Amino acid sequence: MPVLIVGSIALDTVKTPVEEHADLLGGSASYSAVSASFFTDARLVGIVGDDFPSAHVDYFKSRRIDLAGLQQVAGSSFRWSGEYMTDMNTRETRSVALNVFEHFTPHLPESYRQTPYVLLANIAPSLQSHVLDQMARPRFIVADTMDLWITIAKADLLALLARVDLLILNDSEAKMLTDETNLIKAAAMIRGYGPAYVAIKKGEHGCLLFGDSTKDEFFSCPAFPLANLHDPTGAGDCFAGGLIGALARADEETVTFEALKKAVVSGSVVASYNVEAFSLERLRSLQPADIESRYAEFERISRF
Ligand code: AMP
């Protein structure tokens, strides 16, 4: 089954303690769609300017990503710049230029409207809702978000959450959204806002998946032990894309917690590869066999 992915498509400048690269392919939708494309057909919704390199469009095409929902308009593409501190875990945003994003209204081609699996990758929650407004009720809806929207658009975010099946966010965002420091309580509160499931990412420490606690729906996914991390940008987006892609490939009539656990591992596998190089470079050479072998490694390191 195909997945629909809406989010940002960006040209990023990323600085780490040892390297700096400019004008990299980035954006939440770019990472998520390429990651999902390892599992199933992805349909992209987003916007770029007329400065967007055709090589990036060709890369999406080479991953068989459907670009009927990609708008290319006059103006500059969305640009983001970030810098990582020595621990590679702390990141500061250096600059954001919305450019064509400022007036973006996602418009779904007719061929996208029945897509059963949806990933609302990180963009303003009002735009995420606007995508859902144009769809027949999808089988499963995943949303990603960030601290910015919790700060400036909390009402829009809460309205969106009532329509979502799984919310993905990191630990500090979960605490911020709920004003609750205990992640178990925070997840229960978020489930109370609407999503049946919540995935709380803990950076280099893995991810927690919460469902119905009365059915013992709890899963702790380890982080893959990586000694050489080059660029953490997009790890969360690759995680979300791999997760929705794996769910769509499994395509159960009702998404079960067991399927979600496996999808969380699949997302973690792609994310762990992506951070081995800048931008989406590592995914260019990634093969399905690599995904399978690291999935098996995840199984091995979680067993006791
Ligand atoms: P992550 O590392 O998962 O937080 O995602 C990084 C990506 O998010 C970068 O490629 C950025 O281009 C993109 N990004 C940064 N800020 C925003 C924003 N406000 N809205 C949408 N995408 C953003």
Side-chain angles (χ1 to χ4, degrees):
M1 282 288 170
V3 300
L4 181 149
I5 294 173
V6 61
S8 60
I9 302 169
L11 297 175
D12 288 348
T13 297
V14 176
K15 187 173 188 303
T16 68
V18 283
E19 283 173 271
E20 176 165 2
H21 296 279
D23 291 340
L24 300 165
L25 174 60
S28 58
S30 307
Y31 282 108
S32 299
V34 172
S35 177
S37 75
F38 284 92
F39 301 90
T40 194
D41 294 334
R43 299 171 170 171
L44 186 64
V45 181
I47 191 165
V48 294
D50 49 18
D51 59 348
F52 193 70
S54 57
H56 295 338
V57 176
D58 291 342
Y59 177 49
F60 291 143
K61 286 182 184 159
S62 76
R63 295 298 316 162
R64 304 173 325 279
I65 295 170
D66 187 338
L67 301 177
L70 176 67
Q71 301 173 29
Q72 185 154 26
V73 299
S76 301
S77 300
F78 174 62
R79 280 172 190 269
W80 172 84
S81 168
E83 177 173 357
Y84 291 89
M85 307 302 122
T86 13
D87 67 358
M88 289 292 259
N89 236 346
T90 326
R91 179 173 82 192
E92 267 175 23
T93 294
R94 296 204 296 186
S95 64
V96 179
L98 290 178
N99 299 330
V100 293
F101 228 113
E102 203 164 351
H103 303 291
F104 176 48
T105 308
H107 178 73
L108 265 53
E110 201 52 51
S111 58
Y112 280 26
R113 292 176 191 238
Q114 308 281 338
T115 313
Y117 294 87
V118 177
L119 171 61
L120 307 168
N122 177 32
I123 43 166
S126 57
L127 297 181
Q128 293 173 311
S129 287
H130 187 65
V131 166
L132 294 185
D133 292 343
Q134 298 170 65
M135 302 197 74
R137 176 65 173 95
R139 194 172 297 174
F140 203 81
I141 303 167
V142 177
D144 196 355
T145 194
M146 72 188 292
D147 50 359
L148 175 70
W149 312 122
I150 300 170
T151 308
I152 69 165
K154 190 165 176 180
D156 288 345
L157 181 59
L158 291 176
L160 173 78
L161 292 188
R163 308 170 71 183
V164 160
D165 298 299
L166 164 66
L167 176 68
I168 300 176
L169 72 181
N170 68 33
D171 45 4
S172 61
E173 291 159 353
K175 290 173 185 173
M176 206 174 154
L177 179 61
T178 57
D179 280 325
E180 171 57 64
T181 50
N182 178 292
L183 290 181
I184 313 295
K185 289 182 185 164
M189 283 178 74
I190 294 169
R191 290 187 68 246
Y193 302 151
Y197 305 101
V198 183
I200 300 184
K201 298 170 290 178
K202 300 189 297 162
E204 59 180 339
H205 304 298
C207 165
L208 302 176
L209 177 68
F210 297 87
D212 186 345
S213 58
T214 65
K215 296 184 192 155
D216 290 332
E217 290 182 341
F218 172 77
F219 175 57
S220 177
C221 179
F224 192 75
L226 276 178
N228 291 315
L229 187 131
H230 285 273
D231 176 12
T233 312
D237 308 310
C238 287
F239 170 79
L243 187 158
I244 194 85
L247 274 188
R249 188 173 66 179
D251 189 35
E252 294 176 335
E253 199 145 319
T254 325
V255 172
T256 60
F257 197 71
E258 285 309 304
L260 273 172
K261 282 160 67 173
K262 291 177 180 156
V264 161
V265 176
S266 294
S268 304
V269 167
V270 182
S272 72
Y273 277 116
N274 190 64
V275 299
E276 291 178 353
F278 271 74
S279 180
L280 285 140
E281 284 313 305
R282 180 62 185 90
L283 300 194
R284 287 179 193 266
S285 59
L286 191 68
Q287 298 297 319
D290 299 324
I291 295 181
E292 281 161 31
S293 74
R294 197 166 279 186
Y295 188 98
E297 269 298 285
F298 263 87
E299 282 183 317
R300 194 185 61 76
I301 62 173
S302 327
R303 216 175 290 137
F304 62 92

